[in-house]
Amino acid sequence: MSTVPRVLSIAGSDPSGGAGIQADLKSIAATGGYGMAAITALTAQNTRGVRGVHVPPAAFLADQLDAIADDIEIDAVKIGMLGTADVIRVVADWLGRTRPPVVVLDPVMVATSGDRLLDADAEAALAALIPHADLITPNLAELAVLAGAPAPATTWAGAIGQAETVSATFGVRVLAKGGHLGGATAPDALVDATSASVVEFAGERIETTATHGTGCSLSSAIATLRARTGDWEPAIREARRWLRESLRHGEALEVGGGHGPVDHFAGLRTRGGLETAPTADEIAADWWARIEDLRLGIDELPFIRALADGTLERAPFLDYLGQDALYLHDYARVLAAAAQLAPDTAAQGFWAQGANGAIVGELELHESWLGDTAVANDAIEPGPATVAYLDHLLACAARGDYAVLVAAILPCYWLYSDLGERLAAGRFGEWAIDPAHPYASWLETYGDPAFAQATRTAIETVTEVASRATPETRERMWRAFRVSSEHELAFFAAPIERAEAVARAAAEPDGARADAAGEPDAAEADAAAATAEARA
């Protein structure tokens, strides 16, 4: 069976949309199924009442049913208004031939007003149809007719007693419904005489005028959920919860001047919103466009320009490598946290591999420039930009929200890879790709094909998570992504800012330099202010 049950409604049409196949199709969709419909009758009705009924030839209904069964595997059937003996016999014959796995019959026999809707021949045909069903969902008046009782039950115990009689007579499960009994409660009960079981479902009465089509909606929801869950009790329990939610919101629809319909999609609108979820590709394009200012800012940084044209002095370059080494030390922990939180093995493996690469590959490369003991001996002090960036990532990891964490991680892949690919392509000048460039071996690492592939995987992984997330979670992911991108800009800006701060301090008079010497954090404070200005 498909993960989405294919549910067929065999019922009449209600042009006002609150009952019949219209209500059935809404209910099926709202409870997770794919709805189909074979129309037994056309009605002229609204929320105030029925004005006319037209029943097409029964042979045409047979054509509808056969056309569906010949092409589509049906997981459940809900049967509503049938109208005539000929129509009922067509449905019974079709059920006998196709034997759908789940059949729920709402035996439309008696109107809410108490008027009988079927003639004697049709009622006899319906009695022959009932054994083809797995569950029937009559109202109290219909239950009394089927039980052969002189009048509908006036107590809940009486309703259950009549349901037990019907269940034993026809060999079918019966959902006894107490909504028409009055009082503060509206209980239901699943009665099965074969197993001598009665499962009751309690519930307080919902005061509303929006009750049009509740029987249609409940029975089609039960059929759908039974196909989904494989069991009657949880299907009925969830169908009732869904219907009660829909009842509570029905009046807000303001449909018609009589008994309006329930709001079948009230819960879905509240929980899922009305906006179509963006695809992963759309999210990637949107996020990349929305950090264009930061990307252009990185391109124009003196550090990047000087790195590309070879004029970057060795001191800020080594300062950058030292900060990067410190960053990667904790960044590996952040990637490991993403691996631990990842929902599937593929994502777990990817983030874990990234953590290993940060520890082994990248740090080895840094140490080849910085010396074997520079980081191990804590000879390098973390700058404000490094601390701020790591604080952001570690805070995301500590919150345990996988979606937000991986969004925060992504800029470190994406911005570095994009910059590296453009450096390797000579976008910042041909000198950047000349083997004689003073930082040629380092620049080569920016355009590493393996890192480019890892970046593509990171983008796909994160944007797929975002496409499946709620709008609220997707917005939190975007904010984390944006903040990390801002930290990337600050991180690239920091080496030159620190070098300039040191140069300014060196150019000051001896007294000022002496004061600065007594203030070991003065240069760092200048750099922090410059970094904050760059981020702003």
Side-chain angles (χ1 to χ4, degrees), residues 91-387:
V91 173
D93 177 67
W94 181 81
L95 290 174
R97 289 186 286 109
T98 58
R99 299 188 182 279
V102 175
V103 178
V104 176
L105 170 63
D106 185 17
V108 181
M109 304 170 63
V110 185
T112 305
S113 63
D115 296 333
R116 300 283 275 263
L117 301 176
L118 301 179
D119 59 27
D121 190 21
E123 286 191 359
L126 186 65
L129 172 66
I130 289 175
H132 290 283
D134 298 296
L135 171 73
I136 63 172
T137 61
N139 61 31
L140 288 178
E142 291 159 347
L143 185 63
V145 172
L146 294 173
T154 57
T155 65
W156 182 229
I160 290 179
Q162 290 184 2
E164 289 173 327
T165 298
V166 173
S167 179
T169 301
F170 294 97
V172 66
R173 298 172 188 85
V174 178
L175 183 67
K177 299 183 292 186
H180 289 160
L181 286 175
T185 62
D188 296 324
L190 174 61
V191 178
D192 186 354
T194 303
S195 60
S197 67
V198 176
V199 179
E200 296 195 44
F201 305 90
E204 294 184 359
R205 181 174 301 280
I206 298 171
E207 295 298 336
T208 178
T209 60
T211 57
H212 184 51
T214 51
C216 305
S217 301
L218 178 62
S219 55
S220 51
I222 292 172
T224 305
L225 289 162
R226 173 60 176 79
R228 281 182 54 196
T229 65
D231 198 358
W232 290 106
E233 184 176 339
I236 293 170
R237 193 177 304 281
E238 178 57 26
R240 292 179 79 256
R241 292 182 67 245
W242 164 79
L243 181 61
R244 292 172 66 81
E245 175 184 63
S246 302
L247 277 165
R248 286 193 293 269
H249 293 85
E251 289 183 352
L253 290 174
E254 298 183 353
V255 173
H259 287 281
V262 304
D263 187 354
H264 298 82
F265 298 110
L268 292 181
R269 282 195 294 273
T270 301
R271 293 186 292 273
L274 295 176
E275 294 182 5
T276 302
T279 66
D281 288 343
E282 289 170 340
I283 290 169
D286 177 57
W287 286 10
W288 192 243
R290 290 167 71 184
I291 60 166
E292 182 181 20
D293 60 324
L294 301 175
R295 293 188 285 114
L296 293 175
I298 290 172
D299 284 358
E300 296 304 318
L301 287 174
F303 177 83
I304 298 299
R305 291 294 171 179
L307 179 64
D309 64 22
T311 61
L312 182 66
E313 295 182 3
R314 192 164 182 82
F317 177 66
L318 292 178
D319 175 57
Y320 165 77
L321 294 186
Q323 294 300 313
D324 204 15
L326 291 173
Y327 169 86
L328 285 167
H329 184 70
D330 279 339
Y331 182 59
R333 292 192 173 99
V334 172
L335 290 168
Q340 184 177 21
L341 294 168
D344 56 73
T345 54
Q348 289 169 359
F350 173 72
W351 299 120
Q353 185 176 10
N356 182 69
I359 295 170
V360 179
E362 296 296 332
L363 280 177
E364 284 181 355
L365 182 58
H366 289 312
E367 288 169 0
S368 70
W369 286 83
L370 295 166
D372 292 336
T373 60
V375 176
N377 292 337
D378 295 327
I380 303 172
E381 291 292 329
T386 306
V387 171

Side-chain angles (χ1 to χ4, degrees), residues 414-431:
W414 205 347
L415 290 173
Y416 270 79
S417 181
D418 171 70
L419 182 61
E421 288 177 357
R422 289 184 293 118
L423 282 167
R427 301 280 182 84
F428 290 83
E430 294 297 320
W431 178 230

